[in-house]
Amino acid sequence: ITTREAYLGSSAFVDLLHTLQLQISGAQISLVAPLAYDAAIHAGDICVSDMFNLYKYENKLYTMRLTGQEVKDLLEASYANWTNQMQSPNDHLLQIEKQRNGRYRFVNFTFNFDSAAGIQYTVDVTRPKGEKVQISTLADGTPFDLKADYLVAVNSYRGNGGGNLLTLGAGIPFDQLPNRIIHASELDLRYYLIKYVEEHPHLSPKPLNNWRFIPEEWVAPAAERDDKLLCGTK
């Protein structure tokens, strides 16, 4: 499993973390960003060092109370930092730029590219910020309500205002963030990830496929082009 797939859609790498966060917290929605650029865990025996590769920060897990509108607005800010507004099929899907050495990199920090689990949604990359994300239902098929309150699992970096997705994105004043925290884990997420792996001797993570970029006829070739620009053909 690699982080490389996480920038192009629902991925096994990030969705393993989503699954873990939902199980630990009991939340309805999980928000996770890929924390490493083009990192991988290969088939075979898994070591503790692999867990540092998968999750390299000392983040704890917060369960927060957010409205549906705040969840949507946070995702709008995330995908606006992550994706280009495509005007034609030949445009970049991702917000990337060419460096002096001829290689490409993301314009913004990838650890602020939050995707969500627990909801079904699409991201229209032809639309501007504020109009990209369309959320239809929760994972169980219940209609998503912008006015309803939801329990949302996030890491402590995000919950404390990191990346400005909750503040500038969702519009929650910084000093109000602590009031939204319902529960904080005692230990860091890497500890729980290690325990999860110990309890599941054979792992075959699969993407949840609960979200996708549209229009697909534009996205598919653009994703292939941008992936090669960022990572080569390896």
Side-chain angles (χ1 to χ4, degrees), residues 20-68:
L20 181 68
Q21 288 195 168
L22 290 171
Q23 288 183 357
I24 295 171
S25 67
Q28 297 153 288
I29 300 170
S30 169
L31 298 170
V32 169
L35 301 184
Y37 181 78
D38 198 19
I41 296 178
H42 301 288
D45 293 339
I46 300 175
C47 302
V48 171
S49 60
D50 291 318
M51 299 299 98
F52 281 78
N53 191 26
L54 178 61
Y55 207 98
K56 63 181 183 177
Y57 298 110
E58 307 297 325
N59 292 322
K60 293 187 176 182
L61 178 64
Y62 285 178
T63 306
M64 303 185 72
R65 189 177 301 279
L66 303 178
T67 67

Side-chain angles (χ1 to χ4, degrees), residues 200-232:
H200 298 80
H202 300 283
L203 289 178
S204 298
K206 299 289 190 300
L208 296 173
N209 292 322
N210 64 297
W211 72 271
R212 58 192 173 91
F213 290 127
I214 58 172
E216 293 179 351
E217 63 271 19
W218 285 23
V219 168
E224 183 177 359
R225 291 194 307 268
D226 286 356
D227 185 45
K228 288 180 179 178
L229 290 173
L230 286 165
C231 304

Side-chain angles (χ1 to χ4, degrees), residues 20-230:
L20 181 68
Q21 288 195 168
L22 290 171
Q23 288 183 357
I24 295 171
S25 67
Q28 297 153 288
I29 300 170
S30 169
L31 298 170
V32 169
L35 301 184
Y37 181 78
D38 198 19
I41 296 178
H42 301 288
D45 293 339
I46 300 175
C47 302
V48 171
S49 60
D50 291 318
M51 299 299 98
F52 281 78
N53 191 26
L54 178 61
Y55 207 98
K56 63 181 183 177
Y57 298 110
E58 307 297 325
N59 292 322
K60 293 187 176 182
L61 178 64
Y62 285 178
T63 306
M64 303 185 72
R65 189 177 301 279
L66 303 178
T67 67
Q69 186 66 61
E70 289 166 344
V71 171
K72 182 184 186 300
D73 290 346
L74 182 149
L75 289 174
E76 290 283 3
S78 173
Y79 285 103
N81 289 332
W82 177 350
T83 63
N84 184 36
Q85 183 183 352
M86 297 181 69
Q87 304 291 332
S88 80
N90 298 318
D91 287 341
H92 291 297
L93 166 66
L94 306 173
Q95 281 211 41
I96 57 177
E97 61 185 0
K98 192 174 185 178
Q99 304 175 80
R100 290 183 179 179
N101 61 9
R103 300 187 65 181
Y104 281 78
R105 68 176 180 184
F106 282 101
V107 173
N108 299 303
F109 292 120
T110 61
F111 52 75
N112 289 325
F113 295 175
D114 274 10
S115 65
I119 53 177
Q120 302 285 336
Y121 66 101
T122 59
V123 181
D124 189 337
V125 294
T126 68
R127 306 297 297 173
K129 179 181 179 180
E131 301 177 12
K132 289 178 177 285
V133 178
Q134 293 296 323
I135 306 171
S136 56
T137 68
L138 298 178
D140 64 3
T142 304
F144 183 78
D145 187 348
L146 294 175
K147 296 181 180 179
D149 286 341
Y150 295 103
L151 294 181
V152 182
V154 300
N155 66 40
S156 53
Y157 169 76
R158 186 73 69 239
N160 291 329
N164 295 318
L165 294 184
L166 282 169
T167 52
L168 298 182
I172 303 172
F174 182 80
D175 61 1
Q176 293 298 311
L177 291 177
N179 299 333
R180 300 298 192 95
I181 300 171
I182 306 301
H183 183 265
S185 64
E186 294 183 7
L187 300 170
D188 66 87
L189 274 161
R190 191 187 305 118
Y191 168 83
Y192 295 107
L193 184 61
I194 291 171
K195 298 303 292 184
Y196 180 86
V197 173
E198 288 178 343
E199 294 168 2
H200 298 80
H202 300 283
L203 289 178
S204 298
K206 299 289 190 300
L208 296 173
N209 292 322
N210 64 297
W211 72 271
R212 58 192 173 91
F213 290 127
I214 58 172
E216 293 179 351
E217 63 271 19
W218 285 23
V219 168
E224 183 177 359
R225 291 194 307 268
D226 286 356
D227 185 45
K228 288 180 179 178
L229 290 173
L230 286 165

